[in-house]
Amino acid sequence: MRNRKDESIAIDQYLQQDPPYWIENNFFVSDPRDPVTGEQFSPGPLRLAAHQKQILRSALTKIDGLFPYSTILYSTIKKSGKTRIAAAVGMWFAATQGDYNEVYCLANDGKQSSDRLLAAIKQCLALNPTLGWSVTKTRIDLPNGTFIESIPCDPTGQAGSNPGLTLWSEMWGYHQEYKARLWSEMTIPPTRFGKAIRWVESYAGFTGESNVLENLYSVGVQQARRHPMFAEIPVYVNSPAKMLAYWDQGDEARRMPWQTAEYYAQEEKLLTPNEFDRIHRNYWAAPIDKAIPIEWWDNCYVTTPALDKHTPLVIGVDAGITHDSSALVVVSRNPTDKNESCERYTKIWYPPSGGKIDLDLLEQEIVWWCQNYNVVEVTYDKYQLHKMMTDLRKRGLTRFKEFDQNAPRALADKQLYDMIINRTFTHSSGNVDLRTHVDNAGAKDDGKQYRFVKQSSKLDKSGATARPIDALVALSMANFECMS
């Protein structure tokens, strides 16, 4: 009987060290799903797909008492369980890898690391209180002296730490130099070699900007070889770097039953092509993509009745003086559908060679429109225009509104983009220069904000911006105010 008991204890100890076994018995979630059918169950243990179990075992099973890899890169498309798996790995490590260990959760910023990784762990402990771990706002303490803590992206504050495991969430957002320094500061110390791990979960980032992740991709995928144990799953090994990378991309990465064709058809209508490919196909994206295919713009052209004196109008103004152009764009609701908008008139001024735009001409244009038509608002970028618009406001011509060029501009640009896609915006002036400004524009989409930007900062022979977009910016502001 004693031998059988000893054997049972040994088996239990072995299974507790096995990451999939521990996770499927201890890591609780509010909405576990069957990884084959997609059926949702009551709150309980996370259910892992076969390929997830295989990756976890290959990445975390020790050889002669040491971890075979120091860095694990787990990258696949959105809604594949990356964050939950990272949180589960953190709990498994804390529970099974000895006393007085340090586990750190990091992400794009301190708040996100708390919201994403630590929040998943806290939810598990609320659903599975038998573990008996102590929870505070940013830290979880285990009875064995190990702790799990979320920390902000501050490299100066992490000197001297001795991490056994660091969990990095959405590393595509590590653009700034100080975040790259944090990655360096949290490297595995030589005293923990073979006993400590860095686990990175993310989908693809932006070439030339997501430098930390791009370097990991280069080392872990491009400079690595396919793992011989994975015939159908894209897992790579770089032995000299002690790195294992799971980098799944394309439509083949849709391995979970809830990743349906209907879902992606919907998402493809809501996201820009660049961003859709990045988060739903895990392809690297250019930081600046073409904003509006010119064919989309051309398809929005309509012939509308001449403006009457009573149609409510919004004017958008964006001004440059020395290098950039200045633009005035007039927008109204669509005469045939008040839920849509229509560009009615555009005028653009370009700087003369070696000279400056005469802003008096722009002011005269604004005054003429306000005196001859029903202009309900003039909205503008205050750069270069603050004094002019202040003076015009005092004349009581109409309402003058500064347009914030930060978050509101991003909302306006995305709204105009969506309306052009859905043809709920039209243009009727036939202004060739406006079309050129639309064609010139790039788009920067970081997953949080969508902005029209210049594709090039080069100047032409006259010293002016070679590819201006000011008329599109003026249109975006006017359209947003018109539809508000």
Side-chain angles (χ1 to χ4, degrees):
M1 292 293 294
R2 185 173 58 188
N3 289 339
R4 288 183 179 178
K5 183 178 180 180
D6 291 344
E7 181 180 336
S8 177
I9 292 173
I11 292 173
D12 184 66
Q13 290 176 341
Y14 172 81
L15 291 174
Q16 290 299 320
Q17 290 289 325
D18 179 57
Y21 177 86
W22 192 95
I23 289 169
E24 291 197 316
N25 282 274
N26 295 281
F27 187 78
F28 281 35
V29 295
S30 61
D31 56 347
R33 290 177 177 269
D34 188 300
V36 176
T37 67
E39 180 185 358
Q40 183 173 326
F41 304 104
S42 301
L46 179 67
R47 305 189 181 202
L48 297 168
H51 72 278
Q52 294 171 334
K53 294 179 184 180
Q54 188 181 4
I55 293 167
L56 287 167
R57 288 196 175 103
S58 295
L60 301 174
T61 299
K62 290 182 175 179
I63 300 174
D64 297 328
L66 299 176
F67 288 114
Y69 309 106
S70 298
T71 304
I72 313 298
L73 175 58
Y74 194 102
S75 180
T76 186
I77 60 176
K78 191 177 183 70
K79 299 303 179 185
S80 296
K82 298 187 301 298
T83 300
R84 281 182 169 178
I85 287 176
V89 167
M91 291 190 67
W92 166 82
F93 188 97
T96 64
Q97 299 306 305
D99 300 340
Y100 302 103
N101 245 312
E102 301 176 16
V103 177
Y104 295 101
C105 305
L106 305 100
N108 285 346
D109 53 56
K111 183 178 185 299
Q112 189 185 34
S113 62
S114 297
D115 287 349
R116 293 177 61 83
L117 294 170
L118 203 69
I121 296 173
K122 286 180 177 180
Q123 183 186 77
C124 168
L125 295 175
L127 296 171
N128 183 17
T130 60
L131 291 172
W133 298 3
S134 175
V135 178
T136 61
K137 183 177 181 180
T138 61
R139 177 165 162 149
I140 294 169
D141 288 278
L142 280 68
N144 64 0
T146 292
F147 65 81
I148 303 171
E149 184 176 12
S150 67
I151 57 177
C153 291
D154 179 10
T156 60
Q158 305 313 318
S161 60
N162 189 32
L165 173 68
T166 53
L167 302 167
W168 305 76
S169 178
E170 300 301 359
M171 187 170 271
W172 64 266
Y174 273 61
H175 298 162
Q176 297 90 343
E177 183 180 346
Y178 74 91
K179 292 182 179 180
R181 290 201 305 271
L182 178 64
W183 171 256
S184 300
E185 189 64 46
M186 297 296 286
T187 191
I188 294 172
T191 54
R192 304 298 301 272
F193 184 72
K195 297 182 179 179
I197 297 172
R198 294 193 290 189
W199 184 282
V200 178
E201 64 92 353
S202 182
Y203 38 72
F206 299 93
T207 55
E209 287 193 0
S210 306
N211 294 326
V212 177
L213 182 61
E214 199 166 4
N215 182 64
L216 287 175
Y217 176 77
S218 175
V219 174
V221 178
Q222 294 178 317
Q223 301 173 32
R225 62 183 178 86
R226 284 291 294 262
H227 196 302
M229 297 297 292
F230 292 83
E232 298 179 0
I233 306 296
V235 177
Y236 305 83
V237 174
N238 187 325
S239 298
K242 284 201 166 291
M243 182 173 176
L244 180 140
Y246 164 55
W247 193 282
D248 215 349
Q249 61 184 20
D251 294 347
E252 295 80 8
R254 302 173 185 176
R255 302 185 186 277
M256 311 309 289
W258 49 85
Q259 294 171 330
T260 63
E262 292 79 10
Y263 168 75
Y264 291 108
Q266 166 195 284
E267 288 290 287
E268 201 159 11
K269 293 180 180 178
L270 299 174
L271 300 173
T272 65
N274 204 33
E275 192 64 3
F276 181 86
D277 279 349
R278 189 175 75 86
I279 69 174
H280 288 315
R281 291 195 174 109
N282 204 28
Y283 291 138
W284 285 91
I288 298 177
D289 195 20
K290 189 169 183 62
I292 300 167
I294 201 62
E295 297 83 1
W296 296 2
W297 176 259
D298 291 342
N299 287 335
C300 291
Y301 176 76
V302 297
T303 301
T304 57
L307 275 173
D308 61 47
K309 301 293 185 180
H310 306 290
T311 301
L313 303 175
V314 175
I315 294 177
V317 185
D318 189 51
I321 296 180
T322 304
H323 299 302
D324 254 345
S325 61
S326 294
L328 177 149
V329 180
V330 179
V331 176
S332 74
R333 293 293 179 106
N334 191 318
T336 60
D337 188 338
K338 299 303 182 183
N339 293 316
E340 301 180 0
S341 64
C342 182
E343 176 268 347
R344 310 302 294 269
Y345 174 85
T346 294
K347 187 162 186 176
I348 304 171
W349 294 263
Y350 295 97
S353 180
K356 297 182 178 180
I357 294 173
D358 183 358
L359 288 183
D360 287 343
L361 298 175
L362 173 60
E363 181 174 351
Q364 293 168 18
E365 190 80 17
I366 295 171
V367 172
W368 184 88
W369 275 94
C370 290
Q371 291 178 339
N372 290 277
Y373 287 91
N374 182 21
V375 177
V376 297
E377 181 181 308
V378 175
T379 186
Y380 61 95
D381 177 1
K382 68 178 181 180
Y383 179 70
Q384 306 286 12
L385 291 174
H386 177 71
K387 184 180 184 310
M388 177 198 295
M389 296 301 180
T390 300
D391 292 342
L392 289 173
R393 183 181 291 111
K394 291 177 181 177
R395 295 174 62 176
L397 295 168
T398 188
R399 180 185 187 217
F400 288 82
K401 179 181 179 182
E402 293 181 5
F403 201 101
D404 191 322
Q405 298 299 297
N406 295 305
R409 245 295 301 285
L411 290 174
D413 291 356
K414 184 60 167 63
Q415 180 188 56
L416 179 59
Y417 173 87
D418 290 340
M419 291 178 70
I420 290 171
I421 287 179
N422 296 304
R423 297 193 192 180
T424 55
F425 162 84
T426 57
H427 54 94
S428 63
S429 71
N431 189 291
V432 175
D433 282 352
L434 173 57
R435 183 182 188 273
T436 300
H437 283 219
V438 171
D439 200 28
N440 286 343
K444 192 166 186 178
D445 188 348
D446 64 2
K448 295 180 181 179
Q449 291 190 343
Y450 178 89
R451 291 290 299 269
F452 297 141
V453 296
K454 295 176 182 176
Q455 293 196 71
S456 172
S457 59
K458 293 181 180 179
L459 304 181
D460 61 21
K461 292 181 180 179
S462 70
T465 299
R467 302 186 69 183
I469 66 168
D470 304 273
L472 177 61
V473 173
L475 170 61
S476 175
M477 296 186 294
N479 182 73
F480 188 81
E481 291 299 308
C482 182
M483 297 303 295
S484 296

